[in-house]
Amino acid sequence: MPSFPFDRAMRRCRPLAALSLLALTACYPTFNWRELRPEGTPLQALLPCKPETAERTVPLGGVPTVLHMQSCKASGLTFALAWANAPDAAAAPAMATDWQRASLAAIRVDPALHTDPAHQWKFSVAGASLSQGITAQGTDPQGQPVQARAVYFARGAQVFQAAIYGSASDEVNTAFFDGLKLP
């Protein structure tokens, strides 16, 4: 069967095409950071993956409250952003404290530890009226160890939580938490 010039060119290009494909997959980022602006909030945040959205009603501040959530998983870590509306700005600090206790209880950490300085983390979100950071080691619903780093903050009557579940590097923590802004 005669060989056409096109066939010879294709045979020579196959190794080059395979190398190009390998180079492209090697450059694919583990964390594909993207800006997120949750609807109905002034929050600007960065997430390293495409988030899923959910809502549920939970008791916060002694009243049933709609909790809005966006979360995603990347490189074995779970990134979560959530927010809720307090009845008014004066109720926001109590709601943030209740939320923090509930989050610690969800990973089976004694809620009394939320005031323990070992679990406190100094972090502030620009434009927030309050900001409380925590770090904790707990267990997930399957009984596996889980590390959590979260910040609870508010602007007016809106209360927010931003959290990473898993052992994140300093660079990932910095990108995620420094990406939080309330312009």
Side-chain angles (χ1 to χ4, degrees):
M1 177 181 247
S3 177
F4 296 102
F6 179 76
D7 291 335
R8 283 189 296 252
M10 287 303 294
R11 278 192 293 260
R12 278 185 262 140
C13 289
R14 279 189 186 135
L16 182 58
L19 274 173
S20 297
L21 183 59
L22 182 61
L24 283 174
T25 57
C27 294
Y28 184 80
T30 301
F31 298 108
N32 184 8
W33 295 97
R34 61 197 69 214
E35 186 175 286
L36 177 70
R37 295 175 184 238
E39 190 175 329
T41 76
L43 181 63
Q44 293 178 359
L46 291 176
L47 279 178
C49 38
K50 185 177 179 183
E52 294 181 11
T53 302
E55 284 184 5
R56 69 178 181 189
T57 301
V58 297
L60 286 178
V63 297
T65 305
V66 176
L67 186 65
H68 307 271
M69 299 165 277
Q70 294 195 339
S71 66
C72 64
K73 292 185 179 195
S75 191
L77 303 169
T78 299
F79 297 83
L81 290 172
W83 63 98
N85 293 315
D88 55 48
M95 183 179 279
T97 298
D98 282 356
W99 195 345
Q100 186 176 358
R101 282 187 184 129
S103 296
L104 288 170
I107 61 168
R108 297 176 177 90
V109 174
D110 181 356
L113 293 178
H114 88 278
T115 58
D116 183 346
H119 291 282
Q120 298 300 307
W121 169 47
K122 299 283 187 199
F123 187 82
S124 62
V125 176
S129 56
L130 72 95
S131 186
Q132 304 167 345
I134 63 164
T135 60
Q137 182 73 36
T139 55
D140 67 16
Q142 292 76 36
Q144 297 300 310
V146 65
Q147 184 176 24
R149 176 169 277 216
V151 63
Y152 300 84
F153 54 102
R155 175 185 265 176
Q158 285 190 314
V159 182
F160 302 87
Q161 178 211 46
I164 299 176
Y165 297 94
S167 184
S169 68
D170 289 341
E171 293 83 14
V172 171
N173 280 318
T174 299
F176 179 69
F177 290 108
D178 286 353
L180 301 169
K181 294 181 180 28
L182 289 167

